[in-house]
Amino acid sequence: QVQLVESGGGLVQPGGSLRLSCAASGSISSINPMGWYRQAPGKQRELVARLTGAGRTNYADSVKGRFTISRDNGKNTVYLQMNSLKPEDTAVYYCNAETGVQVYWGQGTQVTVSS
């Protein structure tokens, strides 16, 4: 079992920055990859960024150049640094972890970009 706890969401003005954190606990040695997804009202959940154990990253086209995913193995935490935020980035952001046999999700953290 893997438990994921997100933090760092909130309200920010357009052009601002936020950093999301996802702390993993449990059977963390089996996790690969980890990532962030988001779901806006009335829309499907979509991949934002993903990081493999080998350090490979994937980003949604809409966030490339603005968002950065990283991992602190010592703290078992994955981060999503979000810069130059836009109103269309408003969504609930979910941390995701896969073990090859199961997919785990955090509870979600709200990000609202508005003036």
Side-chain angles (χ1 to χ4, degrees), residues 17-79:
S17 298
L18 281 175
R19 188 177 78 158
L20 305 182
S21 300
C22 174
S25 60
S27 301
I28 57 176
S29 61
S30 60
I31 295 175
N32 184 32
M34 287 188 73
W36 290 93
Y37 288 69
R38 67 186 181 188
Q39 187 167 18
K43 294 187 177 181
Q44 290 188 334
R45 192 172 296 188
E46 63 175 0
L47 173 69
V48 177
R50 187 169 61 175
L51 175 63
T52 71
R56 293 182 179 176
T57 56
N58 298 99
Y59 293 95
D61 288 342
S62 59
V63 307
K64 284 181 180 177
R66 300 189 297 123
F67 290 12
T68 303
I69 188 170
S70 62
R71 182 171 182 170
D72 185 333
N73 290 326
K75 295 182 179 180
N76 299 323
T77 300
V78 170
Y79 302 97

Side-chain angles (χ1 to χ4, degrees), residues 4 6 35-49 60 62 90-98 103-110:
L4 304 172
E6 301 120 331
W36 290 93
Y37 288 69
R38 67 186 181 188
Q39 187 167 18
K43 294 187 177 181
Q44 290 188 334
R45 192 172 296 188
E46 63 175 0
L47 173 69
V48 177
S62 59
T90 295
V92 178
Y93 284 70
Y94 296 91
C95 181
N96 165 278
E98 299 179 23
V103 178
Y104 297 91
W105 296 94
Q107 80 282 1
T109 184
Q110 177 70 46

